[in-house]
Amino acid sequence: MSEDDLTIARKLIEHGIPVFVAPKATNAEGNWDPDGGTGNCGYRLPTAWQHTKPDPAVLDTYRDGDALGMVCGHGLDGLDWDTRHGGDVTRDGMLSAGVWPTTYGTAATPSGGGHDLVAALGVRSRDGISNGLDVKAGVDGAGCGFLFIAPTRKKSKVDGEIRAYQWTTRPDLDRLAEDGPTDDSGAHIAEMVGTARVGDAAPEDESPGEHDVEYADLTENQRARVDSYIESTRERIGKELRELQDWTPGQRDAKGNGWQKITADAAWRLGQLAREHWNTLTEAEARKVLVEKAPRDPGFDLPKIGKIWEAQWRRRPLEGLPPDLRERTTTEDEPAAGVDTTMSTDTAVTEPVSPWGKVDLAEVLADDYEPPRATILRRSDDIGLIYPGKAHSFIGESEVGKSWIALQAVAEQIALGERVLYLDYETDAAEITGRLRAMGVPKGDLLRYLDYRQPEMPPTANDTATLTGYALAVIDGVTACLSTFGFKGDSNDDVAIWTERLLKPVARNSAAVVSTDHVTKAKDTRGNYAIGAQSKRALADVCYLVSSDDPPFARGRTSVLRLEISKDRPGYVRGASPAGRAGERQIAARVVLDSDADTHQVTVKVEAPTLQQQIDAEQQMANELDRLGCPVFGRDKTIAWMKDNGMPTRSAAFMTRVVGIRNAKAQTTVLDDE
């Protein structure tokens, strides 16, 4: 960033205009991907950027190559004119007619168009109000748009070259502060926005996407895949609606939604598909799914469902052809050595990406190939417990400390300068960032490296495509996450689809995926499984059972957790951990959580397990039973006594050894008395 660009950005913020930083999207090799990121814009837009506050500290997180975005609707709006679609002609005509607003700054875009900064128009954002003219605005924080500002670089839509946005007229913010409140020169533009909204009732905030992709322009292979995608989506939504009919009065899902709200959500999902240009689903066909499958009762009849459809089907912004259904570009032949490999548009052909495509085995069969090794969440002996590119499940009772272990992995990666995705379905941003701050993670590092999200609906294909460039991704709360997809945790089919739509796409981009889940309530029969479908474990690469003999971790307390290996498909962690005691699982680590009683600072130690630790744990439990006055029973009666007295129990094998220790001590005492 040039010093001049930085100064302008700071002045915008000083005048109450929010500016956000968008980190560049990167590919698997860590290089900038100008076609990646949110809406294929080349950058990862911050979550809820619409609600960015004018905070100068935001610019402290900027790094060379990132983007800057100015949020409109805060005293300053933007007119985005695009020469490719006649925006320059529209602008010149309105200037000649004297209806183009007073401008307080202008910028040139990478594609040859421009951004004119104007006083707040008092309307929401609207694209396409005239040929090549988009309005970026906002009212009271709603319907906000944004403009990329210098020094952001993007790929030109004209020739594909990378160019930067450039200020051609510096923003005159002092004049804006003086004249802006009474400036009504944008009245004509505001009227055009209002007319456009009334004319077609289009969604208020169109997300970036390939809206111009037509079904007729797709290849035969693509059309077949699109048709299959639409049919399976219709069937899935229909299945979700049918299941609502069996709900009991007052029943709600994990998000607190009743069946009427879920029906409304289905309407806008179907409506969006019907409005997209890249498929042949009609509005009548989409509406038919809702009418035929939606639940009914005396107060929720066919006319009511019809009203819901009319209110919802145009609500969701278009997103364009999902990335999984697009084609990639490739050359017809591999170039010979020494030949210029620059690709021109007339030598490139499109090759459909098929899920049945042949996998290139050269990499895994290479002499220097190394099997995956766990490198994240390192123990005291520098052995990692989490594998890059693999899916991990941490399973345990509520409040046992699963999230603390996940956050230790998060803190570790942030300290290394790695980006982390945190999908939170259990708590909120204040709780998660508060814990990380207590663990010593600096505020600036959280702002730069932590991508925190609280999804309330399943990701679109575009959303999934943006989940790249992370070293670690955490899904905190699997059961609640499944419910946002409309899936049930006890359905193996639903869990399998969820895995394909969320876990695998993230892991495929080299991120280690960690999910937290609950065990079943029945301790005696829970085995190796999380609550619900057994496929949760089957589809994960690694499963750890988290348990503790201590009360739930809290401020001023110390808790010791056990990580037992339930599954380790790569086998690296098993091979680096001591063999378990007879009848017990291997222990991967002993995790010590400690909260300072005065400062509330938290330290997390991931200790390498030893056989002696397990022997000591058995002796400690035997000593505790003696201290509490438990009679010397056999195993089953000892376990029953512990449950009656609120003590946590362990595995049958562990308790057998504890009883053996107590019996041996009692026998020694008898001999000593004699």
PDB file of all heavy atoms in Angstrom, residues 31 56 102 129 175 219 257 289 339 423 470 523 553 562 587 664:
ATOM      1  N   ASN A  31      -0.278 -19.238  -3.126  1.00  0.00           N
ATOM      2  CA  ASN A  31      -0.177 -18.077  -4.008  1.00  0.00           C
ATOM      3  C   ASN A  31      -1.543 -17.411  -4.180  1.00  0.00           C
ATOM      4  O   ASN A  31      -2.580 -18.055  -4.048  1.00  0.00           O
ATOM      5  CB  ASN A  31       0.369 -18.495  -5.377  1.00  0.00           C
ATOM      6  CG  ASN A  31       1.752 -19.112  -5.277  1.00  0.00           C
ATOM      7  OD1 ASN A  31       2.600 -18.636  -4.524  1.00  0.00           O
ATOM      8  ND2 ASN A  31       1.988 -20.184  -6.024  1.00  0.00           N
ATOM      9  N   PRO A  56     -10.124   2.954  12.905  1.00  0.00           N
ATOM     10  CA  PRO A  56      -8.800   3.051  12.267  1.00  0.00           C
ATOM     11  C   PRO A  56      -7.905   1.855  12.558  1.00  0.00           C
ATOM     12  O   PRO A  56      -6.980   1.575  11.801  1.00  0.00           O
ATOM     13  CB  PRO A  56      -8.216   4.347  12.841  1.00  0.00           C
ATOM     14  CG  PRO A  56      -9.010   4.625  14.088  1.00  0.00           C
ATOM     15  CD  PRO A  56     -10.371   4.080  13.836  1.00  0.00           C
ATOM     16  N   THR A 102     -23.306  15.527  -7.857  1.00  0.00           N
ATOM     17  CA  THR A 102     -22.014  16.127  -7.522  1.00  0.00           C
ATOM     18  C   THR A 102     -21.079  15.042  -7.008  1.00  0.00           C
ATOM     19  O   THR A 102     -21.470  14.216  -6.178  1.00  0.00           O
ATOM     20  CB  THR A 102     -22.198  17.201  -6.435  1.00  0.00           C
ATOM     21  OG1 THR A 102     -23.081  18.206  -6.927  1.00  0.00           O
ATOM     22  CG2 THR A 102     -20.869  17.816  -6.043  1.00  0.00           C
ATOM     23  N   ILE A 129     -29.284  -0.169 -12.651  1.00  0.00           N
ATOM     24  CA  ILE A 129     -30.415   0.765 -12.766  1.00  0.00           C
ATOM     25  C   ILE A 129     -30.483   1.368 -14.168  1.00  0.00           C
ATOM     26  O   ILE A 129     -31.513   1.897 -14.575  1.00  0.00           O
ATOM     27  CB  ILE A 129     -30.350   1.884 -11.711  1.00  0.00           C
ATOM     28  CG1 ILE A 129     -29.146   2.814 -11.961  1.00  0.00           C
ATOM     29  CG2 ILE A 129     -30.310   1.320 -10.317  1.00  0.00           C
ATOM     30  CD1 ILE A 129     -29.236   4.112 -11.199  1.00  0.00           C
ATOM     31  N   ARG A 175     -15.192  18.922   2.030  1.00  0.00           N
ATOM     32  CA  ARG A 175     -16.331  19.478   1.288  1.00  0.00           C
ATOM     33  C   ARG A 175     -17.576  18.612   1.486  1.00  0.00           C
ATOM     34  O   ARG A 175     -18.689  19.127   1.599  1.00  0.00           O
ATOM     35  CB  ARG A 175     -15.989  19.577  -0.205  1.00  0.00           C
ATOM     36  CG  ARG A 175     -17.097  20.224  -1.052  1.00  0.00           C
ATOM     37  CD  ARG A 175     -16.550  20.648  -2.414  1.00  0.00           C
ATOM     38  NE  ARG A 175     -16.101  19.517  -3.205  1.00  0.00           N
ATOM     39  CZ  ARG A 175     -16.855  18.925  -4.142  1.00  0.00           C
ATOM     40  NH1 ARG A 175     -18.077  19.353  -4.385  1.00  0.00           N
ATOM     41  NH2 ARG A 175     -16.369  17.923  -4.820  1.00  0.00           N
ATOM     42  N   THR A 219     -22.135 -26.887 -21.849  1.00  0.00           N
ATOM     43  CA  THR A 219     -21.850 -28.076 -22.649  1.00  0.00           C
ATOM     44  C   THR A 219     -22.858 -29.160 -22.320  1.00  0.00           C
ATOM     45  O   THR A 219     -23.581 -29.098 -21.308  1.00  0.00           O
ATOM     46  CB  THR A 219     -20.444 -28.590 -22.358  1.00  0.00           C
ATOM     47  OG1 THR A 219     -20.393 -29.048 -20.989  1.00  0.00           O
ATOM     48  CG2 THR A 219     -19.392 -27.502 -22.555  1.00  0.00           C
ATOM     49  N   ASN A 257     -36.239 -22.872  15.275  1.00  0.00           N
ATOM     50  CA  ASN A 257     -37.197 -22.612  14.203  1.00  0.00           C
ATOM     51  C   ASN A 257     -38.327 -23.625  14.216  1.00  0.00           C
ATOM     52  O   ASN A 257     -38.083 -24.837  14.328  1.00  0.00           O
ATOM     53  CB  ASN A 257     -36.505 -22.653  12.838  1.00  0.00           C
ATOM     54  CG  ASN A 257     -35.497 -21.537  12.676  1.00  0.00           C
ATOM     55  OD1 ASN A 257     -35.679 -20.451  13.226  1.00  0.00           O
ATOM     56  ND2 ASN A 257     -34.442 -21.784  11.919  1.00  0.00           N
ATOM     57  N   VAL A 289     -43.195 -27.985  -5.709  1.00  0.00           N
ATOM     58  CA  VAL A 289     -42.535 -28.736  -4.633  1.00  0.00           C
ATOM     59  C   VAL A 289     -43.042 -28.251  -3.283  1.00  0.00           C
ATOM     60  O   VAL A 289     -43.381 -29.049  -2.396  1.00  0.00           O
ATOM     61  CB  VAL A 289     -41.006 -28.575  -4.722  1.00  0.00           C
ATOM     62  CG1 VAL A 289     -40.327 -29.250  -3.527  1.00  0.00           C
ATOM     63  CG2 VAL A 289     -40.475 -29.152  -6.023  1.00  0.00           C
ATOM     64  N   VAL A 339       9.330 -24.262 -24.843  1.00  0.00           N
ATOM     65  CA  VAL A 339       8.299 -23.583 -25.626  1.00  0.00           C
ATOM     66  C   VAL A 339       7.542 -22.612 -24.741  1.00  0.00           C
ATOM     67  O   VAL A 339       7.255 -22.901 -23.584  1.00  0.00           O
ATOM     68  CB  VAL A 339       7.324 -24.624 -26.234  1.00  0.00           C
ATOM     69  CG1 VAL A 339       6.183 -23.916 -26.966  1.00  0.00           C
ATOM     70  CG2 VAL A 339       8.074 -25.527 -27.192  1.00  0.00           C
ATOM     71  N   LEU A 423     -16.112 -22.257  12.660  1.00  0.00           N
ATOM     72  CA  LEU A 423     -17.560 -22.283  12.465  1.00  0.00           C
ATOM     73  C   LEU A 423     -18.191 -22.621  13.814  1.00  0.00           C
ATOM     74  O   LEU A 423     -18.094 -23.754  14.284  1.00  0.00           O
ATOM     75  CB  LEU A 423     -17.936 -23.326  11.410  1.00  0.00           C
ATOM     76  CG  LEU A 423     -17.265 -23.162  10.038  1.00  0.00           C
ATOM     77  CD1 LEU A 423     -17.729 -24.261   9.089  1.00  0.00           C
ATOM     78  CD2 LEU A 423     -17.553 -21.797   9.449  1.00  0.00           C
ATOM     79  N   TYR A 470      -6.861 -22.070   4.561  1.00  0.00           N
ATOM     80  CA  TYR A 470      -6.768 -22.236   6.011  1.00  0.00           C
ATOM     81  C   TYR A 470      -5.848 -23.404   6.350  1.00  0.00           C
ATOM     82  O   TYR A 470      -5.804 -24.399   5.637  1.00  0.00           O
ATOM     83  CB  TYR A 470      -8.148 -22.519   6.616  1.00  0.00           C
ATOM     84  CG  TYR A 470      -9.192 -21.484   6.298  1.00  0.00           C
ATOM     85  CD1 TYR A 470     -10.185 -21.742   5.357  1.00  0.00           C
ATOM     86  CD2 TYR A 470      -9.191 -20.242   6.922  1.00  0.00           C
ATOM     87  CE1 TYR A 470     -11.147 -20.799   5.047  1.00  0.00           C
ATOM     88  CE2 TYR A 470     -10.150 -19.291   6.621  1.00  0.00           C
ATOM     89  CZ  TYR A 470     -11.126 -19.574   5.679  1.00  0.00           C
ATOM     90  OH  TYR A 470     -12.070 -18.635   5.382  1.00  0.00           O
ATOM     91  N   LYS A 523     -23.302 -44.055  29.711  1.00  0.00           N
ATOM     92  CA  LYS A 523     -21.861 -44.297  29.800  1.00  0.00           C
ATOM     93  C   LYS A 523     -21.510 -45.758  29.564  1.00  0.00           C
ATOM     94  O   LYS A 523     -20.477 -46.076  28.985  1.00  0.00           O
ATOM     95  CB  LYS A 523     -21.347 -43.877  31.177  1.00  0.00           C
ATOM     96  CG  LYS A 523     -21.401 -42.379  31.429  1.00  0.00           C
ATOM     97  CD  LYS A 523     -20.773 -42.048  32.769  1.00  0.00           C
ATOM     98  CE  LYS A 523     -20.770 -40.548  33.019  1.00  0.00           C
ATOM     99  NZ  LYS A 523     -20.133 -40.196  34.302  1.00  0.00           N
ATOM    100  N   PHE A 553     -14.111 -27.468  33.805  1.00  0.00           N
ATOM    101  CA  PHE A 553     -13.098 -26.420  33.898  1.00  0.00           C
ATOM    102  C   PHE A 553     -13.770 -25.058  34.055  1.00  0.00           C
ATOM    103  O   PHE A 553     -14.764 -24.754  33.398  1.00  0.00           O
ATOM    104  CB  PHE A 553     -12.229 -26.431  32.646  1.00  0.00           C
ATOM    105  CG  PHE A 553     -11.119 -25.430  32.645  1.00  0.00           C
ATOM    106  CD1 PHE A 553     -10.184 -25.407  33.672  1.00  0.00           C
ATOM    107  CD2 PHE A 553     -11.002 -24.496  31.619  1.00  0.00           C
ATOM    108  CE1 PHE A 553      -9.144 -24.484  33.670  1.00  0.00           C
ATOM    109  CE2 PHE A 553      -9.979 -23.576  31.603  1.00  0.00           C
ATOM    110  CZ  PHE A 553      -9.051 -23.571  32.639  1.00  0.00           C
ATOM    111  N   ARG A 562      -8.150 -36.408  29.399  1.00  0.00           N
ATOM    112  CA  ARG A 562      -7.527 -37.515  28.674  1.00  0.00           C
ATOM    113  C   ARG A 562      -8.016 -37.498  27.231  1.00  0.00           C
ATOM    114  O   ARG A 562      -9.214 -37.344  26.986  1.00  0.00           O
ATOM    115  CB  ARG A 562      -7.882 -38.866  29.306  1.00  0.00           C
ATOM    116  CG  ARG A 562      -7.271 -39.141  30.640  1.00  0.00           C
ATOM    117  CD  ARG A 562      -7.676 -40.531  31.134  1.00  0.00           C
ATOM    118  NE  ARG A 562      -9.126 -40.635  31.280  1.00  0.00           N
ATOM    119  CZ  ARG A 562      -9.819 -40.197  32.339  1.00  0.00           C
ATOM    120  NH1 ARG A 562      -9.176 -39.602  33.340  1.00  0.00           N
ATOM    121  NH2 ARG A 562     -11.129 -40.317  32.396  1.00  0.00           N
ATOM    122  N   ILE A 587      -3.957 -43.892  25.002  1.00  0.00           N
ATOM    123  CA  ILE A 587      -4.095 -42.480  25.334  1.00  0.00           C
ATOM    124  C   ILE A 587      -3.139 -41.680  24.453  1.00  0.00           C
ATOM    125  O   ILE A 587      -1.942 -41.963  24.398  1.00  0.00           O
ATOM    126  CB  ILE A 587      -3.800 -42.224  26.820  1.00  0.00           C
ATOM    127  CG1 ILE A 587      -4.873 -42.915  27.682  1.00  0.00           C
ATOM    128  CG2 ILE A 587      -3.771 -40.728  27.107  1.00  0.00           C
ATOM    129  CD1 ILE A 587      -4.685 -42.719  29.168  1.00  0.00           C
ATOM    130  N   ALA A 664      -5.282 -55.653  47.318  1.00  0.00           N
ATOM    131  CA  ALA A 664      -3.915 -55.974  47.730  1.00  0.00           C
ATOM    132  C   ALA A 664      -3.537 -55.204  48.991  1.00  0.00           C
ATOM    133  O   ALA A 664      -2.902 -55.740  49.904  1.00  0.00           O
ATOM    134  CB  ALA A 664      -2.946 -55.654  46.594  1.00  0.00           C
TER     135      ALA A 664
END
